[in-house]
Amino acid sequence: MLILISIIMGILPMLVYALFIWWLDRWEKEPLHLIGAAFLWGFIPSAIFALIAQVILNIPVAAVIGEDNLAFELYSGSIIAPLTEEGIKGLAVLLIFIFFYKEFDSVMDGIVYGSLVGFGFAAIENILYFISASDDAAGLGCLIILRAFLFGLNHAFFTSLTGIGFALARYRRNILLKMILPLIGLSAAMMMHALHNAFATFGLYGLPFAFLSDWMGIIGVGIIALISLYNEGKWLKQYLADEVSLGTLTAQQAETASSFFRFGADFGSFFVNPIRWWRLSDFHHKCAELAYKKHQMAKMGNEFGNRSEIEKLRVKVSELSGQVER
């Protein structure tokens, strides 16, 4: 029974956190297949590769100084673990950035992809820790509180810093900055991970400091996410206002599509008319795509055929505009 609880409590909180991050990405949500792939990368490949790398890198140091001492714990936890785990988790963000470059529209997108990889990694790591403590119900309960709740956002926080680095590089024309910014993000992820592990190595004495440093960082990323969402809302208002003047959609539709709370209205319409709800959701999503594509055009020119994509989206938005008004 305790093993089942270990598995459920390892996965369920991480899925809830992931769902919240997905919800917070208000207007142009990332494709579900990429969201799922990011989570699964953290859950399976990252954990396997990180474990193998850590075993290999720990062997020579353990042979010299032994394993049962503070120096080795600090080396393994504060140097090797952050380097291997953040490096392998960051690889998922890199692959998405390379192969799905157009999906990086804002800093929020980097936070989303980095967080989802982190939640996947935290889920499998928590399962392993919880199962190892499953012979002691009280100890398991304390460990669940610590790892799933007090420090439950840690891996997502660390890797979100890598995601922010890639997102900041997205609209840079300078090649040097495009290379440096992701490395800065990755370095920040490793440093915060190392700081947490260093404090945690000292047990109860270090946990308050670990909690403070982690949550200050989490709050900082939260502020960055809110700033990104505010900027995205401004993009929608600006670029959809242009479409109103072109007759693509009405002023009321543009106002609703750019509202932070439009998903509440969309969901409410589901109970009245599911078909219209589907059309309305699709319409609002296409409006957001059109605005983001116009933002990409303004920042990067006609990369990957932005101009053609804008025209296609404009036609689609115009068609859906008439349908949802009926």
Side-chain angles (χ1 to χ4, degrees):
M1 183 63 180
L2 290 181
I3 291 178
L4 179 60
I5 292 173
S6 298
I7 295 172
I8 292 172
M9 292 309 297
I11 296 175
L12 185 59
M14 299 305 116
L15 289 177
V16 172
Y17 297 146
L19 183 62
F20 173 75
I21 291 293
W22 178 84
W23 172 86
L24 191 62
D25 188 21
R26 302 304 290 161
W27 291 284
E28 209 262 327
K29 294 186 180 298
E30 302 313 296
L32 287 177
H33 66 277
L34 288 184
I35 293 294
F39 187 91
L40 288 175
W41 177 277
F43 191 78
I44 301 175
S46 288
I48 294 173
F49 294 149
L51 179 61
I52 293 172
Q54 287 169 26
V55 169
I56 293 172
L57 293 172
N58 282 334
I59 287 174
V61 176
V64 174
I65 66 174
E67 296 183 21
D68 298 324
N69 56 73
L70 181 61
F72 179 79
E73 288 183 21
L74 286 171
Y75 164 78
S76 178
S78 303
I79 298 176
I80 298 304
L83 288 175
T84 55
E85 292 175 14
E86 295 311 318
I88 294 169
K89 286 190 291 175
L91 180 59
V93 185
L94 171 62
L95 292 174
I96 293 172
F97 187 75
I98 291 173
F99 293 106
F100 300 93
Y101 188 68
K102 292 190 288 184
E103 295 299 336
F104 267 80
D105 298 304
S106 67
V107 170
M108 187 65 202
D109 290 351
I111 293 173
V112 169
Y113 288 123
S115 294
L116 264 294
V117 178
F119 287 133
F121 189 90
I124 188 63
E125 189 177 68
N126 285 351
I127 289 172
L128 296 175
Y129 272 98
F130 296 163
I131 288 177
S132 69
S134 60
D135 58 342
D136 176 11
L140 175 60
C142 291
L143 194 59
I144 288 173
I145 291 172
L146 280 173
R147 294 193 62 88
F149 299 104
L150 293 182
F151 297 108
L153 299 178
N154 275 16
H155 276 292
F157 156 53
F158 301 147
T159 315
S160 72
L161 297 174
T162 302
I164 289 172
F166 279 104
L168 290 175
R170 170 66 175 91
Y171 293 120
R172 296 292 181 272
R173 294 178 182 270
N174 185 302
I175 299 299
L176 187 60
L177 278 177
K178 221 172 185 66
M179 295 174 61
I180 289 176
L181 287 171
L183 292 175
I184 292 175
L186 177 62
S187 298
M190 291 177 175
M191 287 173 59
M192 293 306 300
H193 195 155
L195 187 63
H196 166 83
N197 285 5
F199 284 133
T201 300
F202 293 96
L204 291 176
Y205 298 103
L207 283 182
F209 298 101
F211 180 84
L212 183 63
S213 66
D214 293 341
W215 277 93
M216 285 180 64
I218 291 167
I219 291 170
V221 170
I223 292 171
I224 292 171
L226 292 176
I227 292 172
S228 178
L229 290 170
Y230 173 77
N231 288 331
E232 291 175 54
K234 287 174 62 178
W235 301 346
L236 264 77
K237 286 182 172 62
Q238 174 188 345
Y239 294 118
L240 292 183
D242 297 339
E243 298 303 317
V244 172
S245 63
L246 292 172
T248 310
L249 71 171
T250 68
Q252 181 59 53
Q253 288 173 338
E255 182 178 349
T256 303
S258 60
S259 169
F260 186 84
F261 301 102
R262 72 170 170 83
F263 287 97
D266 286 0
F267 186 70
S269 68
F270 173 80
F271 299 99
V272 179
N273 187 334
I275 295 176
R276 186 175 187 277
W277 166 81
W278 178 262
R279 288 176 178 170
L280 193 62
S281 298
D282 189 32
F283 170 64
H284 286 154
H285 182 72
K286 288 295 187 293
C287 286
E289 279 192 61
L290 176 57
Y292 281 66
K293 191 61 63 177
K294 291 174 71 174
H295 178 71
Q296 288 182 12
M297 181 75 176
K299 286 286 187 180
M300 304 301 291
N302 194 36
E303 63 165 17
F304 305 113
N306 280 337
R307 187 173 291 107
S308 174
E309 289 293 319
I310 288 169
E311 291 304 321
K312 291 177 184 177
L313 286 167
R314 183 172 284 139
V315 170
K316 187 63 177 177
V317 168
S318 181
E319 291 175 357
L320 291 173
S321 172
Q323 291 177 15
V324 298
E325 283 298 305
R326 294 170 191 167

